[in-house]
Amino acid sequence: MRVFVAGGTGAIGRRLVPLLLLRGHEVTATARDERGRAAIEAMGAEPAVVDGLDRTAVRAAVLRARPDAIVHEMTALGGKPDLRRFDRWFAVTNRLRTDGTKTLLAAAKATGVHRFVAQSYTGWNNEQTGSRVKTETDPFDPLPAESQTESLAAIRSLEQAVGEAELEGILLRYGSLYGPGSSEAMVELVRSRSWPVVGGGGGVWSWIHVDDASSATVAALERGAPGVYNVVDDEPAEVGEWLPYLATVVGAKPPRHVPAWLGRLALGEAGVRWMTAGRGASNAKAKTQLGWGLRYPSWRQGFVAGLAATPLDAASLDALIGSPRHAVPRDERLPRADDHVEAA
């Protein structure tokens, strides 16, 4: 099928595009600049250089590509994480999740796209009471930290827009990402001992390697039923367990332990809550309904072997998503726009 990947040079996009090509799909992927264009061309995909917030440019790129499906992987995170000013850190990503999603959905409608897969998230946004491991039916946090209210609203907006669209909408709630292109800043914080264990370190996190997130995305695109899927590994873990382990793996000194009041000065309320009261997620639905397996079932394996993992080959990918390569036929129930449609 023809697939339009919005965000082709991000942490997920740069691993996802080659996997889609391995599966025999025709891929157009977006980049923000000429350097990104070159990277996409090197992967073997068709590049589209656009600003994800430029409605006219995005619409024109989708109309040129004439895709059967759109995969929304647009984010804009970079530099040192700033948990104290979380919404400011996520400001552009939040716009991509709100305005960018609406733009892509409008383009999908104009071109008769029948399938839309979008990146969402599970982690700090989970309700921090009740079960320590959440499913897709559990609610988001009704009372997030003040510095995360805009970011949570953006996630809600994305999920509502995709869920209500007149197409096959699939939402993938990735856990905390690690691996090439996604964990360099995290590792530097651990090595500099700037990431302490706060309080008892009892917050539960769910991790996912970028290659496992990408293989789940391929499985969802090819045969997932509309709905929401948690894309995480098999082992939710407390901060007090995984953070010292990560420090050992990257050759750092053990992380400092600080009380919550001191952690609040460095990480803010959002960081302290995530480190002490966070909730993990279950991947049972994704594994069962998508027939998806993991390259790194646990962060224990992934932190050792996966921080600089080699790309998946065709045989490995086929094994993870549980079926041979094939092109999914277009859903003829949803008509495509006529060939004369032009960008607004």
Side-chain angles (χ1 to χ4, degrees):
M1 88 174 88
R2 294 193 296 272
V3 183
F4 186 92
V5 178
T9 58
I12 296 293
R14 72 185 69 178
R15 311 296 277 194
L16 173 63
V17 169
L19 300 190
L20 292 171
L21 294 169
L22 281 176
R23 296 287 287 181
H25 301 294
E26 299 177 27
V27 180
T28 298
T30 70
R32 299 174 188 169
D33 52 32
E34 291 303 314
R35 182 178 179 182
R37 178 200 290 274
I40 289 171
E41 288 177 339
M43 296 178 202
E46 180 69 24
V49 179
V50 295
D51 179 341
L53 295 173
D54 184 333
R55 295 176 64 89
T56 300
V58 170
R59 178 182 170 87
V62 174
L63 289 171
R64 283 194 300 271
R66 311 288 294 162
D68 301 302
I70 291 175
V71 180
H72 177 5
E73 298 287 353
M74 294 190 297
T75 59
L77 295 176
K80 185 177 180 180
D82 189 354
L83 296 180
R84 292 185 67 236
R85 290 170 285 270
F86 197 95
D87 283 340
R88 187 172 73 175
W89 177 33
F90 268 76
V92 179
T93 293
N94 290 341
R95 288 191 62 199
L96 290 168
R97 284 174 169 165
T98 53
D99 299 341
T101 300
K102 292 174 184 176
T103 295
L104 285 170
L105 286 170
K109 183 176 181 179
T111 52
V113 168
H114 73 281
R115 177 154 286 223
F116 191 100
V117 179
Q119 175 187 149
S120 187
Y121 178 73
T122 179
W124 61 262
N125 52 339
N126 289 328
E127 186 175 37
Q128 296 179 351
T129 59
S131 172
R132 291 168 64 77
V133 177
K134 303 298 186 181
T135 70
E136 292 82 355
T137 61
D138 286 306
F140 287 147
D141 193 347
L143 296 172
E146 184 177 355
S147 64
Q148 292 177 312
T149 55
E150 294 175 8
S151 299
L152 181 54
I155 292 172
R156 290 185 185 278
S157 174
L158 179 149
E159 294 206 355
Q160 181 177 359
V162 174
E164 294 178 352
E166 295 180 359
L167 44 62
E168 295 175 350
I170 298 174
L171 290 152
L172 301 179
R173 292 177 179 169
Y174 301 137
S176 296
L177 293 170
Y178 70 96
S182 64
S183 49
E184 290 79 5
M186 173 185 72
V187 170
E188 180 56 34
L189 287 173
V190 172
R191 284 182 172 148
S192 65
R193 303 189 79 196
S194 300
W195 194 338
V197 175
V198 179
V204 179
W205 289 38
S206 282
W207 291 94
I208 188 71
H209 189 277
V210 288
D211 284 346
D212 284 324
S214 298
S215 67
T217 305
V218 175
L221 174 70
E222 291 187 348
R223 62 175 180 273
V228 182
Y229 300 85
N230 290 334
V231 177
V232 297
D233 73 14
D234 292 344
E235 190 177 1
E238 293 186 356
V239 174
E241 183 176 14
W242 66 255
L243 183 50
Y245 183 90
L246 177 58
T248 299
V249 167
V250 301
K253 293 181 179 179
R256 296 183 175 89
H257 288 251
V258 301
W261 68 265
L262 185 56
R264 196 167 285 110
L265 296 178
L267 304 175
E269 182 63 25
V272 170
R273 291 177 61 173
W274 198 7
M275 299 282 280
T276 61
R279 294 296 194 264
S282 167
N283 63 14
K285 180 180 178 181
K287 291 177 72 175
T288 300
Q289 297 190 17
L290 301 180
W292 166 63
L294 290 111
R295 187 181 195 181
Y296 303 107
S298 168
W299 48 271
R300 297 178 192 277
Q301 303 159 324
F303 287 173
V304 173
L307 289 177
T310 56
L312 291 166
D313 58 22
S316 298
L317 176 60
D318 291 349
L320 289 176
I321 67 175
S323 70
R325 275 163 276 174
H326 65 286
V328 177
R330 183 188 311 151
D331 186 344
E332 298 297 341
R333 294 172 300 171
L334 295 176
R336 295 175 60 82
D338 293 335
D339 291 339
H340 65 266
V341 174
E342 298 178 355

